[in-house]
Amino acid sequence: MSGELSGFTVGVTADRRRDELTALLERRGARVVLAPALRIVPLADDTELRAATRACLDNPPDVLMANTGIGMRGWLEAAEGWGLAEPLRSVLSRAYIVSRGPKARGAIRAAGLHDEWSPASESCDEVIDHLRQRGVRGQLIAMQLHGERQPECTAALEAAGASVIEVPVYRWAAPTDPAPLHRLVDLIAGRLVDAVTFTSAPAVGALLRAAGPSTDAVLDAMRSDVLAACVGPVTAAPLRRHGVPVVSPNRARLGALVRTIVDELPQRAISVKVAGHLLTLRGHAAILDGELRPLAPAPMAVLRALASTPGRVMSRAALLRTLPRGADEHAVEMAVARLRAGLRTPGVVQTVVKRGYRLPVD
């Protein structure tokens, strides 16, 4: 077997760092289904960003909320183009800077600025609580937005007596080609992927919107057979509100996210001793005595059904229910034949005359 994730299929919804995440997963043997849920696009009209920048220069903010690395870099690059980068850096250097996460902190420090505080959860709510406890009445807060407006955060700060300058740098947009995302929705609903990764909360919402009438099926799958892996608690929050159990690394890094998947997915595999062999079932493959045996969906469905009741005979009618609608008993026989051919080991799938098939467990 070539990697810890060999035999598993993982959906990737990221856009900006999709190549990096895909490479990390494939290096561990996973089959990756790439389906960006959203893309980041710069604002076509930078009038609002320029106005927000001017507002910060005319009335220097007491507090800067830096929400994302790409947003802070984009803001400073735009200011550079207008010849305002140095005045903006000078104004921001005098503010109390809060970075919502490590990427925002990296962008702040790369600009020669220093952040004072960062929340452990990387959530906007924790930032708001910190600022309210610190006291913001009468203060001006510059809030760098991350893709969409945050009216609840702005309202909470204004209710605490602050004034807020919203700084819009980019927006979220639908993927240029929505077909891969719709295909991923179908694969999740059909439980044909083992895990799906999310690196932003808006991507969760985009996938559920793309699901449309299949939303309940997608959520049901992620509540049971499909692992939902999120880069951090902020990303996980929308899924948790839907009752979906989520795994997240302690540190919001892609490498840590992949290690979390490596720790979790193999534990979900089913292993049985069959006819003197160790058989382990993974998403799209079986591992027989340590050798990976990739299988098509129909043979894999039959094997999974047989392994759910090892040693017991399953009739053709019972196995038929595991195959796509419209299949007949001949399709069961074909799936069993393909399963035996794929396993390449006689005696693992046993025919019981006039009754059906079984796995002869030790």
Side-chain angles (χ1 to χ4, degrees):
M1 193 173 62
S2 58
E4 306 102 316
L5 296 179
S6 294
F8 291 115
T9 301
V10 181
V12 168
T13 61
D15 176 41
R16 194 170 60 86
R17 300 181 68 190
R18 61 188 178 184
D19 294 340
E20 181 182 351
L21 181 52
T22 296
L24 288 170
L25 291 165
E26 289 181 340
R27 199 174 300 149
R28 287 158 178 80
R31 175 191 291 173
V32 174
V33 176
L34 187 57
L38 289 170
R39 59 193 173 97
I40 292 174
V41 295
L43 293 177
D45 181 359
D46 62 9
T47 304
E48 287 184 83
L49 177 58
R50 191 162 189 163
T53 304
R54 276 291 178 196
C56 290
L57 295 176
D58 293 342
N59 296 287
D62 302 288
V63 177
L64 167 64
M65 279 180 62
N67 278 309
T68 64
I70 189 173
M72 285 306 304
R73 286 194 300 274
W75 185 14
L76 291 167
E77 286 169 6
E80 186 83 49
W82 304 323
L84 300 176
E86 285 309 316
L88 179 60
R89 263 194 287 267
S90 175
V91 160
L92 297 181
S93 69
R94 298 192 293 273
Y96 179 82
I97 300 177
V98 174
S99 56
R100 193 173 58 86
K103 295 175 189 175
R105 181 187 303 119
I108 287 293
R109 294 181 179 179
L113 303 172
H114 178 70
D115 60 316
E116 304 283 349
W117 184 83
S118 187
S121 69
E122 300 184 27
S123 73
C124 179
D125 290 343
E126 190 176 349
V127 172
I128 300 302
D129 289 343
H130 170 77
L131 292 176
R132 283 191 297 207
Q133 290 172 13
R134 187 173 179 270
V136 294
R137 183 167 298 281
Q139 293 194 338
L140 180 61
I141 299 176
M143 181 193 299
Q144 175 254 313
L145 303 178
H146 54 98
E148 52 193 22
R149 296 198 178 279
Q150 300 158 269
E152 67 286 349
C153 294
T154 300
L157 291 169
E158 289 176 342
S163 299
V164 178
I165 299 173
E166 293 184 333
V167 183
V169 185
Y170 58 84
R171 63 182 177 85
W172 297 108
T176 306
D177 179 7
L181 183 59
H182 290 295
R183 176 171 174 260
L184 179 59
V185 165
D186 292 341
L187 292 173
I188 295 170
R191 292 165 166 78
L192 295 174
V193 293
D194 303 288
V196 58
T197 62
F198 297 97
T199 56
S200 71
V204 175
L207 182 134
L208 295 179
R209 286 193 299 274
S214 300
T215 301
D216 288 342
V218 166
L219 290 171
D220 286 344
M222 289 194 290
R223 291 185 188 114
S224 54
D225 298 319
V226 178
L227 175 71
C230 296
V231 76
V234 175
T235 301
L239 287 172
R240 290 197 168 116
R241 285 196 291 270
H242 285 287
V244 173
V246 174
V247 297
S248 295
N250 292 329
R251 297 175 70 242
R253 297 285 195 279
L254 293 187
L257 176 63
V258 172
R259 285 192 293 274
T260 300
I261 296 170
V262 167
D263 290 341
E264 182 68 25
L265 273 187
Q267 295 182 38
R268 295 181 165 214
I270 300 169
S271 292
V272 289
K273 290 280 285 185
V274 179
H277 303 280
L278 178 61
L279 177 67
T280 300
L281 278 64
R282 291 191 169 192
H284 64 265
I287 300 171
L288 194 62
D289 296 332
E291 293 293 326
L292 192 71
R293 300 282 192 263
L295 297 168
M300 194 71 211
V302 167
L303 180 58
R304 201 170 289 281
L306 293 172
S308 68
T309 55
R312 295 182 59 186
V313 178
M314 291 195 72
S315 68
R316 288 177 176 82
L319 291 173
L320 180 59
R321 290 193 287 271
T322 70
L323 299 181
R325 290 180 183 177
D328 55 20
E329 289 197 6
H330 176 66
V332 174
E333 294 172 4
M334 289 297 297
V336 170
R338 293 172 67 194
L339 172 58
R340 286 170 168 157
L343 293 176
R344 305 200 299 272
T345 305
V348 174
V349 180
Q350 187 178 75
T351 300
V352 180
V353 179
K354 295 185 179 180
R355 292 183 58 197
Y357 305 94
R358 72 178 187 126
L359 298 183
V361 296
D362 296 344

